[in-house]
Amino acid sequence: MDYIDLRSDTITKPTPEMREAMAKAEVGDDVYGEDPTVNRLQELAAEMTGKEAGLFVASGTMGNLAGILAHCGRGDEVILGNKAHTFLFEAGGISALGGVHSCQLPNQPDGSLALEDVEAAIRPDDPHDPVTRLICLENTHNRCGGVYQTPEYTRRVAEFAHARGLAVHLDGARVFNAAAAQGIDVKELTAPVDSVTFCLSKGLCAPVGSVLCGSKEFIKKAHRLRKMLGGGMRQAGILAAAGIVALETMTVRLAEDHARARKLADGLKQVPGLVLQAGSPATNMVFVSLDASVPHSVEFVRTRLEERGVLLGVTGARQFRLVLHYWIDDAGVEQAVAAFREAVR
Ligand SMILES: *Cc1c(COP(=O)(O)O)cnc(C)c1O
């Protein structure tokens, strides 16, 4: 069966144009810095995010890890949200591998951190305390529902941090979705921060990889850390070639996924027994719950949807997450709504 796969935008396969670029990619040994395609991807990524340099890494997790370790030494503290991907879903790498202590502040429902909370969390210069080094933001915010942060907020946090000698790292796995949702250049969201990671392999459809961007000096440090983490790849231009196509052709179409997310949400809203999460969808993710009138468990409904060719994520005792991406068209949206009608009955 050809599934309508709404579990995540990570399931996207490369486009025919990407496969062609991969087949034709000029490659070299990237550990020697000699892969021209990797170099081109890194330059393009840096230019698009308004940074001096970029570093191609195996995953978003590796980008955040190398980035945070480049900012923080062992025993230093990073301030991040209690719903941050880096805190929840990156296997504790910053503490396990980097000895970085984390201070988790409550994420506001809009995915932001309250500056009063951040102010109160900054450590005094006292031998009892770890040293606060870094603030980590996330845009779009995954666990908060794919919500986006604005340029104003990003600038406010960066100014606040810099005035106190702290750096800011942005986990921008889906930062191009955040830019598309606001109709702005991604630079507005990335230029204010010191470093940013974004994923090529989610909505942008490349098969593998993320890019970490920052100053030349920062990327030099991160480059050594990438090697230490086992992420020095050789003829990685095969992968980077798809990343270049992603940046050149896929970032501009993300608004289509957001429009389809809206269409899907509008359809699901009409299905008796379903309640749309307030504010959903902000970007390409739709969060919907079963109300008390539905006698079935989420697992039961999920199975019935799967039997009808629709795959999706379960994100709570009564909640589902549906993620739109390049491989879901209008017909897929209609089929998903129709399947839901039958599955919740
Ligand atoms: C997907 C994601 C990452 C990185 O995940 P990888 O699977 O390691 O590429 C980081 N942060 C956020 C917010 C994400 O959604």
Side-chain angles (χ1 to χ4, degrees):
M1 189 187 311
D2 260 349
Y3 285 103
I4 313 286
D5 196 341
L6 297 157
R7 287 173 301 168
S8 178
D9 47 11
T10 56
I11 63 95
T12 47
K13 293 178 181 164
T15 62
E17 192 184 348
M18 286 177 186
R19 289 182 189 269
E20 196 183 324
M22 292 170 80
K24 289 185 181 156
E26 242 191 281
V27 297
D29 190 331
D30 182 49
V31 170
Y32 296 155
E34 288 174 4
D35 188 303
T37 311
V38 170
N39 291 341
R40 203 147 57 80
L41 170 66
Q42 292 176 163
E43 279 159 26
L44 179 60
E47 195 222 296
M48 287 175 85
T49 55
K51 299 285 171 236
E52 287 175 0
L55 186 69
F56 184 46
V57 288
S59 66
T61 298
M62 185 181 278
N64 287 332
L65 180 56
I68 291 171
L69 267 51
H71 285 297
C72 302
R74 299 187 73 80
D76 286 346
E77 191 167 69
V78 55
I79 295 174
L80 42 57
N82 62 350
K83 293 183 180 159
H85 192 278
T86 299
F87 175 58
L88 291 177
F89 304 129
E90 295 174 15
I94 58 169
S95 74
L97 304 174
V100 178
H101 198 251
S102 69
C103 169
Q104 310 106 40
L105 300 179
N107 273 115
Q108 303 301 306
D110 69 357
S112 68
L113 299 175
L115 278 187
E116 312 84 80
D117 291 351
V118 179
E119 176 95 73
I122 297 173
R123 302 288 190 153
D125 182 10
D126 181 312
H128 292 84
D129 291 66
V131 176
T132 308
R133 284 281 177 221
L134 180 68
I135 300 171
C136 207
L137 301 179
E138 185 173 318
N139 196 9
T140 65
H141 202 292
N142 188 344
R143 205 57 209 263
C144 289
V147 290
Y148 57 79
Q149 309 299 312
T150 63
E152 294 70 36
Y153 169 76
T154 311
R155 280 198 296 269
R156 197 146 28 88
V157 174
E159 279 164 21
F160 174 95
H162 296 156
R164 288 158 183 79
L166 308 178
V168 181
H169 173 73
L170 174 63
D171 176 359
R174 297 188 180 84
V175 73
F176 285 98
N177 289 89
Q182 299 174 83
I184 56 176
D185 189 314
V186 76
K187 274 195 198 74
E188 296 215 41
L189 300 171
T190 55
V193 300
D194 300 278
S195 58
V196 56
T197 309
F198 67 83
C199 281
L200 295 164
S201 67
K202 290 180 171 167
L204 302 184
C205 281
V208 178
S210 284
V211 188
L212 173 65
C213 297
S215 69
K216 277 196 181 125
E217 197 190 331
F218 169 85
I219 290 298
K220 192 169 170 224
K221 272 187 172 174
H223 189 263
R224 174 172 280 126
L225 287 159
R226 183 185 70 173
K227 184 69 191 165
M228 189 191 288
L229 295 170
M233 296 186 281
R234 301 293 177 175
Q235 286 72 34
I238 298 264
L239 301 172
I244 292 169
V245 176
L247 287 179
E248 285 178 343
T249 69
M250 303 303 277
T251 58
V252 294
R253 60 153 304 282
L254 291 171
E256 289 176 34
D257 296 338
H258 301 173
R260 283 203 183 92
R262 164 62 50 204
K263 206 174 148 194
L264 176 63
D266 288 344
L268 294 177
K269 224 166 35 186
Q270 311 298 323
V271 178
L274 293 184
V275 189
L276 202 62
Q277 178 174 301
S280 181
T283 53
N284 66 330
M285 297 181 190
V286 178
F287 287 80
V288 70
S289 299
L290 301 176
D291 73 15
S293 76
V294 178
H296 312 305
S297 69
V298 279
E299 197 41 45
F300 180 83
V301 173
R302 193 198 63 72
T303 307
R304 288 178 84 169
L305 287 166
E306 185 173 343
E307 286 161 9
R308 287 159 179 78
V310 175
L311 303 180
L312 78 184
V314 170
T315 45
R318 303 288 283 168
Q319 194 189 51
F320 300 103
R321 183 182 84 160
L322 300 92
V323 185
L324 280 292
H325 53 77
Y326 181 78
W327 296 103
I328 303 291
D329 58 12
D330 290 331
V333 168
E334 279 161 31
Q335 195 177 327
V337 174
F340 253 106
R341 274 190 192 283
E342 294 175 17
V344 300
R345 257 212 297 267

